[in-house]
Amino acid sequence: AQTVTQSQPEMSVQEAETVTLSCTYDTSENNYYLFWYKQPPSRQMILVIRQEAYKQQNATENRFSVNFQKAAKSFSLKISDSQLGDTAMYFCAFSGTYKYIFGTGTRLKVLA
Amino acid sequence: KAGVTQTPRYLIKTRGQQVTLSCSPISGHRSVSWYQQTPGQGLQFLFEYFSETQRNKGNFPGRFSGRQFSNSRSEMNVSTLELGDSALYLCASSSGGGGISGANVLTFGAGSRLTVL
């Protein structure tokens, strides 16, 4: 069975600094996608970034980038130049056949 | 373009009652999936529907059920409510024939917060 593990329940970072959120996963599938979703306080969940497992190049979206280590089954999210609006719950997710598996989330607080 | 709409947004029930939650996906999206979100447990996958067919189901008891209509709107039902069913129930829709597999990104609704007393 697929699993997704986020070992950091809470983190904080100073505004303008860089922070890395960790995620590991386990699967026997070869073709899959990995995602980071963001859930701001009292707001809807939205996509942050997506990685295709067969692509070796790490995905980047503006200040957000991932470090995808397929052999190690690791998928971390780096947020550069953190902003107050980045304060949210961040969920790592694995997408396989007809299902999404989410981690338990990391609550990130950006401090002014 | 309207987003994913979930109703009701908040509801309070007592143990033993049943509840029905509704989800209207983005127009054109044929896949709807449901998740239970609780503190410390993250999002737990309940089930996924595509073109009125349930394609996958999570590890929840039979008290949790769902269905999808021909217009892609979906409902989930929880019978004989227990205190542990208190949670935020999220619905998400996605496009593409692959449903929630592969590259399809989920678009979430705001959720239905259920409190069981």
Side-chain angles (χ1 to χ4, degrees), chain B:
Chain B
K1 196 174 187 181
V4 178
T5 303
Q6 290 189 246
T7 57
R9 290 291 313 279
Y10 303 91
L11 64 168
I12 299 174
K13 295 285 187 179
T14 56
R15 281 183 299 174
Q17 288 187 309
Q18 75 162 10
V19 66
T20 298
L21 308 178
S22 179
C23 173
S24 293
I26 288 175
S27 178
H29 284 192
R30 295 164 64 190
S31 169
V32 173
S33 51
W34 288 89
Y35 305 85
Q36 181 193 66
Q37 183 178 6
T38 55
Q41 291 293 317
L43 276 74
Q44 302 284 310
F45 171 73
L46 282 155
F47 26 65
E48 188 254 356
Y49 288 88
F50 183 78
S51 293
E52 301 180 68
T53 300
Q54 184 183 90
R55 297 198 296 184
N56 206 348
K57 190 178 188 316
N59 296 323
F60 279 82
R63 301 184 296 107
F64 291 82
S65 63
R67 59 178 175 170
Q68 186 180 36
F69 302 95
S70 58
N71 62 357
S72 293
R73 189 178 70 86
S74 177
E75 289 181 347
M76 68 163 282
N77 182 276
V78 188
S79 62
T80 319
L81 285 166
E82 301 177 358
L83 295 179
D85 296 334
S86 294
L88 179 67
Y89 289 88
L90 293 171
C91 158
S93 73
S94 66
S95 63
I100 64 169
S101 65
N104 294 306
V105 174
L106 299 179
T107 301
F108 284 86
S112 294
R113 184 166 295 281
L114 170 65
T115 301
V116 182
L117 302 176

Side-chain angles (χ1 to χ4, degrees), chain A residues 33 35 37 39 44-45 47 50 91 95-100 102-104, chain B residues 35 37 40 42-43 45 55-56 100-106 108-110:
Chain A
Y33 289 75
F35 303 80
Y37 282 87
Q39 187 179 42
Q44 289 170 236
M45 187 105 65
L47 175 72
R50 176 181 66 183
F91 292 96
S95 174
T97 306
Y98 303 147
K99 61 188 166 193
Y100 257 78
F102 287 83
T104 51
Chain B
Y35 305 85
Q37 183 178 6
L43 276 74
F45 171 73
R55 297 198 296 184
N56 206 348
I100 64 169
S101 65
N104 294 306
V105 174
L106 299 179
F108 284 86

Side-chain angles (χ1 to χ4, degrees), chain A residues 2-108:
Chain A
Q2 291 91 351
T3 59
V4 175
T5 302
Q6 293 180 251
S7 58
Q8 304 152 314
E10 293 187 358
M11 296 186 72
S12 62
V13 62
Q14 290 292 137
E15 199 174 6
E17 296 293 307
T18 296
V19 64
T20 299
L21 280 58
S22 301
C23 173
T24 58
Y25 62 96
D26 191 24
T27 183
S28 57
E29 296 187 27
N30 286 320
N31 298 318
Y32 54 89
Y33 289 75
L34 296 164
F35 303 80
W36 280 96
Y37 282 87
K38 166 185 175 181
Q39 187 179 42
S42 302
R43 293 179 61 187
Q44 289 170 236
M45 187 105 65
I46 58 173
L47 175 72
V48 175
I49 198 165
R50 176 181 66 183
Q51 174 77 42
E52 300 165 78
Y54 63 86
K55 285 191 175 179
Q56 292 186 334
Q57 186 173 5
N58 290 324
T60 299
E61 288 287 343
N62 301 314
R63 298 181 295 108
F64 299 88
S65 62
V66 299
N67 182 5
F68 174 47
Q69 303 289 328
K70 189 172 183 179
K73 294 189 171 67
S74 171
F75 183 61
S76 61
L77 174 70
K78 185 172 82 170
I79 306 175
S80 304
D81 185 26
S82 296
Q83 301 176 0
L84 296 177
D86 295 333
T87 292
M89 277 289 286
Y90 287 81
F91 292 96
C92 177
F94 165 96
S95 174
T97 306
Y98 303 147
K99 61 188 166 193
Y100 257 78
I101 307 297
F102 287 83
T104 51
T106 295
R107 186 177 301 279
L108 176 68

